Amino acid sequence: MTSNKDQPSDLSMDRRKFLSSATAVSATTIIGSSMAPAAEASDKSVKPPSASQLMMEDEVPEGYSAEQAKDYFVSSPGSDFMVDVVKQMGIDFVTTNPGSSFRGIHESIVNYGGNQAPELLTSVHEEQATAMAHGFYKVTGKPLIPLVHGTVGLQHASMAVYNAWSDRVPMIILAGNHMDVMDRRAGAEWAHSAQDCIRVVRDYIKWDDQPVSLQHFAESMARAWKIAMTPPRGPVAIAIDGHLQEAERGDLKLQIPRITPTQPPVGDEGAIAEAARLLVEAENPVIVVDLMAHDQTGIERLVELAESLQAPVVNQFGRMNFPNRHHLAQGASVIAQADVILCLELNDTWGTINTMRDRVHRESQRRARSDAKVIDIGVKDLFIKSNYQNFQRYFSADLSIAGDGQATLPSLTEAVRSAMKRSRRLSNSERELRWQSQHRRSFEQALDTARYAWDASPVSTARLFSEIWQVAKDRDWSLVSDDKLKSGWGTRLWPMSKHYHYLGRSGAGGVGYGAPAAVGAALALRDKGILPINVQSDGDMMFSPGAFWTAAHHNIPLLTVTHNNVGYHQENMHLQRMAVRRRRGTEGNSLIGNELRNPDLDLAKIAGGMGVWSEGPIHDPNELGPALKRAMDVVDQGEPAFIDCRCQPR
Amino acid sequence: MTWWRKWLSAILFGSTLLSSHAAVSQQTELDMRSGKALYERFQCWQCHGYEGQGGRSGPRIADKTYPYSVFSVFVRYTNLMPAYSPSELSDAQLEQIYQFVQSLPAPASLEDVSIVDYE
């Protein structure tokens, strides 16, 4: 480990001088010491140039003239400087599927950078590389770099970028491109070049640039990091020119700009006071939360606010926002009784206050009381784009406050406490008893429901989660997959209080997210002793099975158990609804196009083919527990393990 | 009526009752079996599960007591689920499905399953 002071302030300095100065003096650094990314970067060891590199720089190799050497060798390529920039940003991994348009920086990462901080993570598809960065962020709060071809690679990655955008997940995409026509070889370099390669994803990223110099690259990367990490967070992209990567950097005096993280926006003080007044005066205040908690602090802050008011919290589980076994954790039915509803970082406030059933004539109904006041706090209005409609329907809140939910909570809680009179405070004990009772009833009801179909084959989803719990309960663990399509048994039954206990959903429902995001999350958890649990849908897995190869290749421990309902069940239900609506629902044809049978997929064999220990398919629920124990023996040795379990549809 | 005639009448009446009960049981059994086939054919399992246990997409229908009249209203008229019309799913078929759903057994007690270990 080195500290910030060990880093060179001027990377144009001779590297021999750097070697001596790095070990001996504290250079006057231009890298800030007070900001998070540089501080993180300073903990990473930056390898000095090797002896052979130094020889290349200073000496003409034996058998070559100086003129010949210029033709054959590059001593200090531009991509080495690019790696210096990435290192200073504290980026842990670069996820990639290799491509010639970024071969320069690829080589610099593994040789010049020593393949450490960032380390290259090999993926077999750009969509998976991007989803891995998505999953990694959900655990660490840190962005990764997916490194892709600017054309065919970014096209592959685009759905995963849309998921990240919709889920407010930052990442810095580097896209290789060949800008100068005079530098392009005939053939692939033309097909893999674009006038504006980022255009394909521009509708669902926050910012992009195509630097024309190394200094431009350094500045754009600093800007990219700030923009990606400032709420509302999201992906950004930088096109990196092939020539810029591969050519000599020359004697340019290059600097890496200091990155000062932008403080998240906090709601207006007067509006917060008004929100507090409404909440304190309410008879039945309710808090609804979705994409709020960036980390554990967010959970703790929400607990403080909820307990101050003794107001129930409805978690929509975009993030693990609130402990699900806290007595104030309640189901969505409480919204109907609320007289004041505080919405925290909801992507869909309209859909929370109203319902619209899937009927022939689409009519909406207000779920909340007609006189209920709605306070909407969040950052969604701070950044919005036109084309893709993932911003949901417009809702006219009574009080709308632009501010990051987690950052705004302390001032809101303080304002609530200040506004609360003694009589209101005294009513809290009665409220607490009421919600404790209701919470207990809900949990008992969930347990009661879970008993049904206990011994059924295919295995019930409740039994699936219960059997997994038996191997997880005595460890620290993280459910790295969405459980919504598995009847929510993870979030209903497993006691969740930590930020990483549940990582939420894909963002935009783009299928193929599950496996690679789970691998990215597992990578983030690898050195923390936390068991990553991936309950993997079969349909989703078939989009990106190669992610399991990445887990095997990089020794990433991950427990995967499939929820294999042999088809695209959501679509199965949609088709049956269509058929019944048209009075053609009697023939069972809704399976056509939706079921994954004939032949049945041998998912265990597929995972096995990726180098992952695997078992299955398991049909008998009594065989699941012993198989899980065998799988855990593998995971405990630092390897991924996979069980295919045939399950009930939901 | 002499005593033996009364006795004979009672036996005849009783056996008629018994055979009628047996016929009803046989019919119910038949309905349940047909009902299971119809439950699968009409894709009820998609939302309610193969065992009627329910889930996020549809409520539990196993081990619940409600009359057929309520059941049929839910299936045909509530808009809570796709509306199966009588021309597609006849009353007789719906009754058979009802018999099957009613026959689904109660689950094991909480103490007998491993889901209780969540504290």
Side-chain angles (χ1 to χ4, degrees), chain A residues 192-212:
Chain A
H192 293 168
S193 298
Q195 184 190 59
D196 181 9
C197 68
I198 307 297
R199 182 179 178 178
V200 69
V201 294
R202 189 167 291 132
D203 275 331
Y204 36 87
I205 58 174
K206 284 185 78 178
W207 183 76
D208 67 275
D209 197 14
Q210 184 161 254
V212 296

Side-chain angles (χ1 to χ4, degrees), chain A residues 582-595:
Chain A
R582 296 162 185 186
R583 298 201 292 154
R584 301 193 283 245
T586 61
E587 301 308 320
N589 286 340
S590 63
L591 298 177
I592 297 174
N594 287 324
E595 70 172 353

Side-chain angles (χ1 to χ4, degrees), chain A residues 609-644:
Chain A
M610 300 291 168
V612 174
W613 179 95
S614 63
E615 268 196 29
I618 286 176
H619 298 267
D620 180 351
N622 294 317
E623 291 178 6
L624 185 54
L628 279 161
K629 285 184 182 146
R630 289 190 290 276
M632 285 307 301
D633 287 343
V634 175
V635 173
D636 283 341
Q637 303 204 8
E639 303 287 337
F642 181 99
I643 296 172
D644 180 22

Side-chain angles (χ1 to χ4, degrees), chain A residues 452 466 469 473 569 576 583, chain B residues 46 63 84 88 115 117:
Chain A
Y452 286 84
S466 295
W469 180 244
K473 64 184 180 182
H569 190 70
Q576 181 66 8
R583 298 201 292 154
Chain B
Q46 284 196 9
D63 191 31
Y84 284 82
E88 300 300 299
I115 52 174
D117 198 7

Side-chain angles (χ1 to χ4, degrees), chain A residues 347-365:
Chain A
N347 194 42
D348 189 6
T349 307
W350 187 92
T352 299
I353 304 301
N354 301 280
T355 59
M356 182 186 277
R357 287 197 175 279
D358 190 353
R359 298 161 61 162
V360 176
H361 302 290
R362 300 254 171 126
E363 291 168 357
S364 61
Q365 282 187 320

